[in-house]
mmCIF file of all heavy atoms in Angstrom:
data_model
loop_
_atom_site.group_PDB
_atom_site.id
_atom_site.type_symbol
_atom_site.label_atom_id
_atom_site.label_comp_id
_atom_site.label_asym_id
_atom_site.label_seq_id
_atom_site.Cartn_x
_atom_site.Cartn_y
_atom_site.Cartn_z
ATOM 1 N N ASP A 28 -5.682 -4.990 12.712
ATOM 2 C CA ASP A 28 -4.695 -3.912 12.454
ATOM 3 C C ASP A 28 -3.271 -4.471 12.341
ATOM 4 O O ASP A 28 -2.344 -3.651 12.131
ATOM 5 C CB ASP A 28 -4.712 -2.921 13.606
ATOM 6 C CG ASP A 28 -6.071 -2.240 13.776
ATOM 7 O OD1 ASP A 28 -6.783 -2.090 12.786
ATOM 8 O OD2 ASP A 28 -6.443 -1.859 14.963
ATOM 9 N N MET A 29 -3.079 -5.752 12.367
ATOM 10 C CA MET A 29 -1.712 -6.317 12.512
ATOM 11 C C MET A 29 -0.954 -6.385 11.187
ATOM 12 O O MET A 29 0.228 -6.681 11.177
ATOM 13 C CB MET A 29 -1.790 -7.694 13.131
ATOM 14 C CG MET A 29 -0.467 -8.216 13.657
ATOM 15 S SD MET A 29 -0.616 -9.666 14.714
ATOM 16 C CE MET A 29 -1.301 -10.874 13.570
ATOM 17 N N VAL A 30 -1.596 -6.118 10.032
ATOM 18 C CA VAL A 30 -0.925 -6.326 8.768
ATOM 19 C C VAL A 30 -0.977 -5.149 7.849
ATOM 20 O O VAL A 30 -2.034 -4.433 7.754
ATOM 21 C CB VAL A 30 -1.497 -7.612 8.067
ATOM 22 C CG1 VAL A 30 -2.937 -7.374 7.722
ATOM 23 C CG2 VAL A 30 -0.700 -7.968 6.834
ATOM 24 N N TYR A 31 0.104 -4.849 7.175
ATOM 25 C CA TYR A 31 0.147 -3.980 5.990
ATOM 26 C C TYR A 31 0.404 -4.858 4.799
ATOM 27 O O TYR A 31 1.368 -5.611 4.764
ATOM 28 C CB TYR A 31 1.284 -2.957 6.068
ATOM 29 C CG TYR A 31 1.299 -2.010 7.236
ATOM 30 C CD1 TYR A 31 2.535 -1.635 7.836
ATOM 31 C CD2 TYR A 31 0.170 -1.403 7.707
ATOM 32 C CE1 TYR A 31 2.585 -0.736 8.901
ATOM 33 C CE2 TYR A 31 0.211 -0.493 8.717
ATOM 34 C CZ TYR A 31 1.420 -0.138 9.317
ATOM 35 O OH TYR A 31 1.450 0.747 10.365
ATOM 36 N N GLN A 32 -0.434 -4.747 3.751
ATOM 37 C CA GLN A 32 -0.231 -5.514 2.556
ATOM 38 C C GLN A 32 0.173 -4.570 1.417
ATOM 39 O O GLN A 32 -0.425 -3.503 1.246
ATOM 40 C CB GLN A 32 -1.462 -6.327 2.175
ATOM 41 C CG GLN A 32 -1.292 -7.163 0.916
ATOM 42 C CD GLN A 32 -2.501 -8.020 0.555
ATOM 43 O OE1 GLN A 32 -2.339 -9.019 -0.124
ATOM 44 N NE2 GLN A 32 -3.660 -7.613 1.015
ATOM 45 N N PHE A 33 1.175 -5.007 0.609
ATOM 46 C CA PHE A 33 1.719 -4.175 -0.442
ATOM 47 C C PHE A 33 1.623 -4.894 -1.770
ATOM 48 O O PHE A 33 1.701 -6.136 -1.875
ATOM 49 C CB PHE A 33 3.184 -3.817 -0.154
ATOM 50 C CG PHE A 33 3.421 -3.271 1.157
ATOM 51 C CD1 PHE A 33 3.742 -4.102 2.232
ATOM 52 C CD2 PHE A 33 3.316 -1.896 1.414
ATOM 53 C CE1 PHE A 33 3.980 -3.594 3.533
ATOM 54 C CE2 PHE A 33 3.524 -1.374 2.706
ATOM 55 C CZ PHE A 33 3.870 -2.254 3.740
ATOM 56 N N CYS A 34 1.488 -4.102 -2.865
ATOM 57 C CA CYS A 34 1.395 -4.691 -4.171
ATOM 58 C C CYS A 34 1.775 -3.625 -5.207
ATOM 59 O O CYS A 34 1.655 -2.398 -4.891
ATOM 60 C CB CYS A 34 -0.050 -5.151 -4.456
ATOM 61 S SG CYS A 34 -0.319 -5.926 -6.051
ATOM 62 N N SER A 35 2.224 -3.984 -6.373
ATOM 63 C CA SER A 35 2.548 -3.006 -7.426
ATOM 64 C C SER A 35 2.453 -3.668 -8.817
ATOM 65 O O SER A 35 2.349 -4.867 -8.913
ATOM 66 C CB SER A 35 3.954 -2.414 -7.204
ATOM 67 O OG SER A 35 4.934 -3.290 -7.735
ATOM 68 N N THR A 36 2.492 -2.852 -9.802
ATOM 69 C CA THR A 36 2.528 -3.342 -11.198
ATOM 70 C C THR A 36 3.945 -3.174 -11.733
ATOM 71 O O THR A 36 4.133 -3.172 -12.990
ATOM 72 C CB THR A 36 1.546 -2.564 -12.118
ATOM 73 O OG1 THR A 36 2.051 -1.175 -12.275
ATOM 74 C CG2 THR A 36 0.136 -2.579 -11.552
ATOM 75 N N SER A 37 4.924 -3.169 -10.903
ATOM 76 C CA SER A 37 6.312 -2.904 -11.368
ATOM 77 C C SER A 37 6.795 -3.963 -12.395
ATOM 78 O O SER A 37 7.533 -3.637 -13.318
ATOM 79 C CB SER A 37 7.262 -2.897 -10.155
ATOM 80 O OG SER A 37 7.137 -1.727 -9.443
ATOM 81 N N LYS A 38 6.387 -5.215 -12.239
ATOM 82 C CA LYS A 38 6.782 -6.234 -13.185
ATOM 83 C C LYS A 38 5.582 -6.667 -14.011
ATOM 84 O O LYS A 38 5.600 -7.744 -14.641
ATOM 85 C CB LYS A 38 7.389 -7.454 -12.434
ATOM 86 C CG LYS A 38 8.764 -7.147 -11.798
ATOM 87 C CD LYS A 38 9.315 -8.398 -11.171
ATOM 88 C CE LYS A 38 10.728 -8.186 -10.665
ATOM 89 N NZ LYS A 38 10.795 -7.294 -9.522
ATOM 90 N N VAL A 39 4.533 -5.876 -13.980
ATOM 91 C CA VAL A 39 3.333 -6.097 -14.780
ATOM 92 C C VAL A 39 3.329 -5.173 -15.997
ATOM 93 O O VAL A 39 3.084 -5.622 -17.084
ATOM 94 C CB VAL A 39 2.058 -5.862 -13.932
ATOM 95 C CG1 VAL A 39 0.828 -6.016 -14.792
ATOM 96 C CG2 VAL A 39 1.996 -6.873 -12.787
ATOM 97 N N THR A 40 3.594 -3.892 -15.722
ATOM 98 C CA THR A 40 3.619 -2.923 -16.842
ATOM 99 C C THR A 40 5.076 -2.413 -16.987
ATOM 100 O O THR A 40 5.909 -3.127 -17.586
ATOM 101 C CB THR A 40 2.650 -1.794 -16.581
ATOM 102 O OG1 THR A 40 2.890 -1.187 -15.303
ATOM 103 C CG2 THR A 40 1.221 -2.309 -16.642
ATOM 104 N N PHE A 41 5.326 -1.254 -16.474
ATOM 105 C CA PHE A 41 6.707 -0.681 -16.621
ATOM 106 C C PHE A 41 7.312 -0.591 -15.217
ATOM 107 O O PHE A 41 6.777 0.039 -14.329
ATOM 108 C CB PHE A 41 6.652 0.715 -17.246
ATOM 109 C CG PHE A 41 5.979 0.711 -18.630
ATOM 110 C CD1 PHE A 41 4.946 1.543 -18.879
ATOM 111 C CD2 PHE A 41 6.411 -0.144 -19.595
ATOM 112 C CE1 PHE A 41 4.298 1.575 -20.128
ATOM 113 C CE2 PHE A 41 5.771 -0.160 -20.830
ATOM 114 C CZ PHE A 41 4.727 0.709 -21.126
ATOM 115 N N SER A 42 8.516 -1.151 -15.080
ATOM 116 C CA SER A 42 9.085 -1.190 -13.746
ATOM 117 C C SER A 42 9.341 0.146 -13.116
ATOM 118 O O SER A 42 9.272 0.336 -11.929
ATOM 119 C CB SER A 42 10.419 -1.974 -13.808
ATOM 120 O OG SER A 42 10.226 -3.277 -14.293
ATOM 121 N N GLY A 43 9.640 1.133 -13.946
ATOM 122 C CA GLY A 43 9.889 2.480 -13.389
ATOM 123 C C GLY A 43 8.694 3.379 -13.475
ATOM 124 O O GLY A 43 8.758 4.519 -13.022
ATOM 125 N N ALA A 44 7.554 2.871 -14.011
ATOM 126 C CA ALA A 44 6.413 3.753 -14.191
ATOM 127 C C ALA A 44 5.080 2.999 -13.989
ATOM 128 O O ALA A 44 4.137 3.222 -14.670
ATOM 129 C CB ALA A 44 6.453 4.384 -15.580
ATOM 130 N N GLY A 45 5.095 2.130 -13.007
ATOM 131 C CA GLY A 45 3.872 1.374 -12.668
ATOM 132 C C GLY A 45 3.082 2.156 -11.595
ATOM 133 O O GLY A 45 3.289 3.346 -11.361
ATOM 134 N N VAL A 46 2.184 1.395 -10.937
ATOM 135 C CA VAL A 46 1.509 1.989 -9.745
ATOM 136 C C VAL A 46 1.640 0.953 -8.599
ATOM 137 O O VAL A 46 1.694 -0.243 -8.841
ATOM 138 C CB VAL A 46 0.012 2.254 -10.018
ATOM 139 C CG1 VAL A 46 -0.132 3.416 -11.011
ATOM 140 C CG2 VAL A 46 -0.707 1.042 -10.550
ATOM 141 N N ALA A 47 1.720 1.498 -7.382
ATOM 142 C CA ALA A 47 1.874 0.664 -6.211
ATOM 143 C C ALA A 47 0.838 1.032 -5.224
ATOM 144 O O ALA A 47 0.251 2.132 -5.222
ATOM 145 C CB ALA A 47 3.225 0.844 -5.599
ATOM 146 N N ALA A 48 0.508 0.066 -4.313
ATOM 147 C CA ALA A 48 -0.602 0.317 -3.355
ATOM 148 C C ALA A 48 -0.337 -0.409 -2.046
ATOM 149 O O ALA A 48 0.451 -1.376 -1.964
ATOM 150 C CB ALA A 48 -1.945 -0.146 -3.960
ATOM 151 N N ILE A 49 -0.989 0.080 -1.027
ATOM 152 C CA ILE A 49 -1.040 -0.560 0.306
ATOM 153 C C ILE A 49 -2.480 -0.808 0.677
ATOM 154 O O ILE A 49 -3.332 0.063 0.427
ATOM 155 C CB ILE A 49 -0.289 0.282 1.352
ATOM 156 C CG1 ILE A 49 -0.374 -0.417 2.727
ATOM 157 C CG2 ILE A 49 -0.864 1.694 1.392
ATOM 158 C CD1 ILE A 49 0.477 0.303 3.778
ATOM 159 N N SER A 50 -2.756 -1.944 1.289
ATOM 160 C CA SER A 50 -4.066 -2.209 1.853
ATOM 161 C C SER A 50 -3.958 -2.628 3.288
ATOM 162 O O SER A 50 -2.962 -3.270 3.681
ATOM 163 C CB SER A 50 -4.817 -3.313 1.027
ATOM 164 O OG SER A 50 -4.090 -4.537 1.071
ATOM 165 N N SER A 51 -4.893 -2.267 4.105
ATOM 166 C CA SER A 51 -4.842 -2.624 5.523
ATOM 167 C C SER A 51 -6.183 -2.334 6.148
ATOM 168 O O SER A 51 -7.223 -2.150 5.461
ATOM 169 C CB SER A 51 -3.754 -1.790 6.218
ATOM 170 O OG SER A 51 -3.493 -2.250 7.492
ATOM 171 N N SER A 52 -6.233 -2.336 7.471
ATOM 172 C CA SER A 52 -7.502 -2.070 8.196
ATOM 173 C C SER A 52 -7.878 -0.631 8.073
ATOM 174 O O SER A 52 -7.036 0.251 7.777
ATOM 175 C CB SER A 52 -7.321 -2.462 9.685
ATOM 176 O OG SER A 52 -6.410 -1.546 10.284
ATOM 177 N N PRO A 53 -9.144 -0.286 8.280
ATOM 178 C CA PRO A 53 -9.561 1.119 8.235
ATOM 179 C C PRO A 53 -8.732 1.982 9.207
ATOM 180 O O PRO A 53 -8.382 3.127 8.861
ATOM 181 C CB PRO A 53 -11.046 1.093 8.612
ATOM 182 C CG PRO A 53 -11.463 -0.296 8.211
ATOM 183 C CD PRO A 53 -10.313 -1.163 8.418
ATOM 184 N N ALA A 54 -8.430 1.436 10.365
ATOM 185 C CA ALA A 54 -7.634 2.223 11.364
ATOM 186 C C ALA A 54 -6.220 2.506 10.883
ATOM 187 O O ALA A 54 -5.722 3.627 11.063
ATOM 188 C CB ALA A 54 -7.637 1.478 12.748
ATOM 189 N N ASN A 55 -5.602 1.497 10.274
ATOM 190 C CA ASN A 55 -4.255 1.690 9.763
ATOM 191 C C ASN A 55 -4.250 2.649 8.602
ATOM 192 O O ASN A 55 -3.361 3.535 8.500
ATOM 193 C CB ASN A 55 -3.662 0.349 9.308
ATOM 194 C CG ASN A 55 -3.034 -0.450 10.424
ATOM 195 O OD1 ASN A 55 -2.590 0.100 11.433
ATOM 196 N ND2 ASN A 55 -3.024 -1.764 10.275
ATOM 197 N N ILE A 56 -5.229 2.510 7.703
ATOM 198 C CA ILE A 56 -5.316 3.447 6.542
ATOM 199 C C ILE A 56 -5.491 4.912 7.037
ATOM 200 O O ILE A 56 -4.846 5.777 6.497
ATOM 201 C CB ILE A 56 -6.482 3.012 5.622
ATOM 202 C CG1 ILE A 56 -6.132 1.639 4.967
ATOM 203 C CG2 ILE A 56 -6.724 4.092 4.554
ATOM 204 C CD1 ILE A 56 -4.963 1.668 4.059
ATOM 205 N N ALA A 57 -6.343 5.103 8.040
ATOM 206 C CA ALA A 57 -6.570 6.422 8.524
ATOM 207 C C ALA A 57 -5.277 6.993 9.170
ATOM 208 O O ALA A 57 -4.924 8.163 9.009
ATOM 209 C CB ALA A 57 -7.674 6.417 9.577
ATOM 210 N N ASP A 58 -4.540 6.132 9.884
ATOM 211 C CA ASP A 58 -3.323 6.539 10.499
ATOM 212 C C ASP A 58 -2.281 6.939 9.469
ATOM 213 O O ASP A 58 -1.594 7.984 9.584
ATOM 214 C CB ASP A 58 -2.769 5.428 11.386
ATOM 215 C CG ASP A 58 -1.496 5.776 12.128
ATOM 216 O OD1 ASP A 58 -1.520 6.821 12.808
ATOM 217 O OD2 ASP A 58 -0.501 5.041 11.979
ATOM 218 N N ILE A 59 -2.202 6.170 8.426
ATOM 219 C CA ILE A 59 -1.210 6.460 7.330
ATOM 220 C C ILE A 59 -1.562 7.757 6.614
ATOM 221 O O ILE A 59 -0.753 8.596 6.382
ATOM 222 C CB ILE A 59 -1.158 5.267 6.330
ATOM 223 C CG1 ILE A 59 -0.550 4.038 7.017
ATOM 224 C CG2 ILE A 59 -0.358 5.656 5.089
ATOM 225 C CD1 ILE A 59 -0.672 2.777 6.193
ATOM 226 N N LYS A 60 -2.848 7.902 6.309
ATOM 227 C CA LYS A 60 -3.296 9.129 5.589
ATOM 228 C C LYS A 60 -3.087 10.369 6.449
ATOM 229 O O LYS A 60 -2.798 11.460 5.879
ATOM 230 C CB LYS A 60 -4.730 8.960 5.189
ATOM 231 C CG LYS A 60 -4.979 7.995 4.033
ATOM 232 C CD LYS A 60 -6.474 7.763 3.777
ATOM 233 C CE LYS A 60 -7.143 8.985 3.232
ATOM 234 N NZ LYS A 60 -8.563 8.714 2.792
ATOM 235 N N SER A 61 -3.146 10.262 7.773
ATOM 236 C CA SER A 61 -3.012 11.438 8.601
ATOM 237 C C SER A 61 -1.573 11.957 8.540
ATOM 238 O O SER A 61 -1.369 13.173 8.754
ATOM 239 C CB SER A 61 -3.332 11.077 10.055
ATOM 240 O OG SER A 61 -2.304 10.239 10.640
ATOM 241 N N ARG A 62 -0.611 11.134 8.223
ATOM 242 C CA ARG A 62 0.775 11.551 8.031
ATOM 243 C C ARG A 62 1.048 11.834 6.550
ATOM 244 O O ARG A 62 1.764 12.799 6.215
ATOM 245 C CB ARG A 62 1.742 10.463 8.518
ATOM 246 C CG ARG A 62 1.535 10.045 9.977
ATOM 247 C CD ARG A 62 1.822 11.175 10.963
ATOM 248 N NE ARG A 62 1.641 10.717 12.315
ATOM 249 C CZ ARG A 62 1.795 11.543 13.375
ATOM 250 N NH1 ARG A 62 2.087 12.826 13.218
ATOM 251 N NH2 ARG A 62 1.601 11.061 14.614
#
């Protein structure tokens, strides 16, 4: 549960219109989704 990992396509496709994501443990993901 100690890490949040982030990534995006901001410098892959369009900087203002890409997609971004977070990956982590199931417990962290559940906690984030609850909020």
Side-chain angles (χ1 to χ4, degrees):
D28 300 331
M29 196 167 63
V30 63
Y31 298 142
Q32 182 176 203
F33 310 91
C34 181
S35 81
T36 69
S37 287
K38 291 182 173 70
V39 175
T40 54
F41 304 126
S42 300
V46 292
I49 179 173
S50 61
S51 192
S52 68
N55 277 332
I56 292 297
D58 184 52
I59 292 169
K60 287 174 67 175
S61 72
R62 303 295 181 183

